[in-house]
Amino acid sequence: MKPVNKNDRITVHVEDLTHDGAGVAKVDGYPLFIPGALPGEDVLVHVLKTLKSYGFAKLIEIQQASPFRVDAPCPVFDTCGGCQIQHLSYEGQMTFKQKLVRDAITRIGKLPDVPVHPVKGMEHPWRYRNKSQIPFGTQDGKVVAGFYQPRSHDIADTDTCLIQTPEADAIMVALKKNLIEMGIEPYEEATHRGMLRHVVVRKARATGEIMVVLVTKKKKFPQAARAIELIQATVPEVTSIVQNINSEKTNVIFGEETLTLWGKDVIEDRIGDVRFEISARSFYQINPEQTEVLYGQALEYAQLTGEETVIDAYCGIGTISLFLAQQAKFVMGVEIVPQAIEDAKRNAELNGLANTLFEAGPAEQVIPRWYKEGKKADVLVVDPPRKGCDEQLLRTILKQRPTRVVYVSCNPATLARDLRILEDGGYSTKEVQPVDMFPQSTHVECVAHLELR
């Protein structure tokens, strides 16, 4: 029998946070998930739903507040899904994220003795995003723009986002105010009607160059000239305005075709001494300041002397590869997206790094072939998507046995799972360094250092 029932009002003590920022309280061992509650708090809640092994409750009153609780500065924090923990002080966020990683490494990876270091955070954890993807729509006949509410595609309308650039705010507000006058109809996902789906704003930290991407349902865009004029008048620093066409009935942001409407095809940025050209659809880490910290950590764990051959699986546009190529004998990168590989080759040429090789294809297929061709790695770097490494790639690592593995991860759970597999196959996890790439959210990036036993 469950210890609580729907519509009960009870006072509970919050013990933990979930990976998406909800407080966790236990009533006779039965977990209740409470959005907005923080660890250490005593709160009055209204039970909304009870399932067999857990339930959900609404926060009614904070009776004993956490010392880490702060007032969230964002006016739409309660409705927007972009940030989950603005109500937790930055010190509290660092403590939570270190615990999140340590719990995953211990519980999933069964590696309680592996050091998980304090999180490397930011001095100023606001306005850090170099890319904003802003959906447009209508509500009650009014043009709205902002970010999606949690677990929905309803837009939380706002004029400012405290984790994106002021330039992105300005462009969002200007377009929102002038779309109807310009004759541009916002897209409606439910009916597949309208023209403007998203506006994507990218800013290069090192150069200050700004790209604006107008994602439209149709290629024919007769109002483009007026949109260009408005954007230029609002943010004169813009160097590139492009159109991406997505005619599909989908919630995927980008379509396959991109056209340059005005200015350059790319913007240029730097990480350390390495230059990168970034196009509208290039994958590029969204926090440039912390990217340098993250890649610096990967470079430290790689322990390069200039004599090593490195393989970078999931190399994207070559960001980590080129960072490593400055100190390695040779770096080979593999990525399943052909356009990303073309970007990587261009970026290698841009930096005069001839000690690189990039190939498009699945890492789990390309790397074994490289080994058969005699292209073997002393150090292997992986930076997989949230689902973690492909099982076949892990088998390849265990078969080929590079001396050192550097694992960059955006998901502590799949990192821990994969570390367990590599440990069982003969590797030893020396340490894990979390890096806060996404302040105000529950996400955390990690770098793990493994050595062959």
Side-chain angles (χ1 to χ4, degrees):
M1 182 177 176
K2 294 189 286 281
V4 295
N5 297 298
K6 184 178 178 180
N7 293 324
D8 282 354
R9 282 196 170 212
I10 57 174
T11 297
V12 295
H13 181 75
V14 183
E15 301 176 10
D16 206 348
L17 281 179
T18 66
H19 68 278
D20 58 357
V24 183
K26 291 185 178 177
V27 182
D28 295 336
Y30 180 83
L32 277 178
F33 301 124
I34 312 158
L38 293 175
E41 295 186 329
D42 295 326
V43 295
L44 175 67
V45 301
H46 180 171
V47 179
L48 300 175
K49 186 177 183 179
T50 58
L51 302 174
K52 183 177 179 180
S53 54
Y54 58 90
F56 299 91
K58 179 181 179 181
L59 176 62
I60 302 299
E61 181 184 35
I62 301 168
Q63 298 178 340
Q64 178 65 50
S66 163
F68 295 117
R69 178 174 284 277
V70 295
D71 292 331
C74 176
V76 294
F77 171 66
D78 290 336
T79 55
C80 176
C83 300
Q84 302 85 41
I85 51 175
Q86 277 192 20
H87 60 312
L88 182 59
S89 71
Y90 198 55
E91 180 186 356
Q93 292 181 29
M94 297 297 92
T95 300
F96 160 67
K97 292 184 180 186
Q98 183 185 20
K99 182 178 183 298
L100 186 73
V101 177
R102 185 187 291 116
D103 286 352
I105 299 298
T106 300
R107 181 174 51 84
I108 300 171
K110 304 291 190 294
L111 297 167
D113 298 326
V114 169
V116 176
H117 299 300
V119 181
K120 290 188 174 182
M122 300 186 71
E123 185 177 355
H124 302 291
W126 301 98
R127 298 289 188 185
Y128 60 83
R129 290 188 66 99
N130 61 12
K131 181 173 78 167
S132 301
Q133 300 179 147
I134 306 165
F136 278 68
T138 57
Q139 292 172 5
D140 301 323
K142 173 189 170 187
V143 177
V144 295
F147 297 91
Y148 291 127
Q149 297 179 30
R151 294 173 292 281
S152 83
H153 271 219
D154 296 329
I155 296 171
D157 186 37
T158 186
D159 288 345
T160 187
C161 172
L162 299 180
I163 62 171
Q164 73 179 13
T165 63
E167 292 89 349
D169 280 352
I171 290 166
M172 173 176 70
V173 171
L175 285 170
K176 191 161 52 170
K177 287 181 177 178
N178 291 280
L179 276 189
I180 299 304
E181 181 190 333
M182 291 191 295
I184 303 174
E185 185 181 357
Y187 178 74
E188 296 298 330
E189 192 174 306
T191 61
H192 194 50
R193 296 183 61 182
M195 184 65 167
L196 185 67
R197 300 176 71 127
H198 278 77
V199 174
V200 179
V201 182
R202 309 189 76 146
K203 180 179 180 180
R205 174 176 173 243
T207 65
E209 294 182 345
I210 298 171
M211 172 183 284
V212 180
V213 186
L214 304 173
V215 184
T216 60
K217 179 186 168 185
K218 297 178 181 178
K219 185 173 182 177
K220 188 177 180 181
F221 189 17
Q223 306 92 342
R226 295 191 67 187
I228 291 168
E229 185 180 346
L230 176 65
I231 292 167
Q232 290 174 325
T234 304
V235 180
E237 297 84 0
V238 168
T239 56
S240 171
I241 302 175
V242 303
Q243 177 190 6
N244 176 268
I245 301 97
N246 184 355
S247 60
E248 300 298 318
K249 192 170 184 178
T250 175
N251 57 17
V252 174
I253 293 175
F254 286 117
E256 293 300 318
E257 187 176 8
T258 303
L259 307 170
T260 300
L261 299 177
W262 175 87
K264 304 197 304 180
D265 297 335
V266 298
I267 57 175
E268 185 178 308
D269 203 0
R270 290 191 301 274
I271 302 174
D273 296 328
V274 184
R275 299 162 61 196
F276 295 95
E277 288 186 345
I278 306 161
S279 61
R281 297 180 61 198
S282 291
F283 172 78
Y284 190 69
Q285 293 279 8
I286 57 94
N287 186 332
E289 181 180 332
Q290 291 297 87
T291 296
E292 196 160 344
V293 174
L294 184 77
Y295 291 177
Q297 191 65 58
L299 189 61
E300 179 184 322
Y301 284 168
Q303 298 178 2
L304 301 177
T305 65
E307 298 301 318
E308 295 85 2
T309 296
V310 182
I311 288 179
D312 179 9
Y314 310 101
C315 71
I317 66 169
T319 45
I320 293 182
S321 300
L322 301 182
F323 213 68
L324 296 169
Q326 297 173 102
Q327 297 188 25
K329 181 180 179 181
F330 198 76
V331 176
M332 299 181 288
V334 57
E335 166 64 51
I336 199 166
V337 180
Q339 181 57 53
I341 288 295
E342 292 307 308
D343 289 344
K345 290 177 179 177
R346 190 176 68 250
N347 286 323
E349 187 176 344
L350 183 68
N351 288 277
L353 292 169
N355 60 332
T356 56
L357 169 71
F358 294 101
E359 184 170 334
E364 60 274 13
Q365 295 177 16
V366 173
I367 294 174
R369 176 169 54 74
W370 280 348
Y371 270 81
K372 288 180 181 177
E373 295 170 356
K375 300 186 181 91
K376 297 184 178 181
D378 306 295
V379 179
L380 190 139
V381 178
V382 294
D383 184 7
R386 289 191 63 79
K387 66 180 181 180
C389 285
D390 183 272
E391 187 178 339
Q392 190 175 338
L393 176 60
L394 292 171
R395 287 199 298 267
T396 298
I397 295 171
L398 295 177
K399 182 179 179 182
Q400 306 300 342
R401 300 174 71 79
T403 303
R404 194 170 300 114
V405 174
V406 179
Y407 193 133
V408 181
S409 169
C410 60
N411 185 341
T414 54
L415 168 65
R417 179 202 67 198
D418 291 349
L419 291 182
R420 181 70 266 165
I421 294 170
L422 293 170
E423 284 267 346
D424 291 342
Y427 282 87
S428 175
T429 307
K430 298 300 182 182
E431 54 191 318
V432 176
Q433 177 61 65
V435 177
D436 191 26
M437 298 286 287
F438 314 103
Q440 320 309 327
S441 83
T442 55
H443 301 295
V444 61
E445 202 97 0
C446 296
V447 189
H449 172 202
L450 297 95
E451 297 276 353
L452 188 63
R453 285 198 292 270

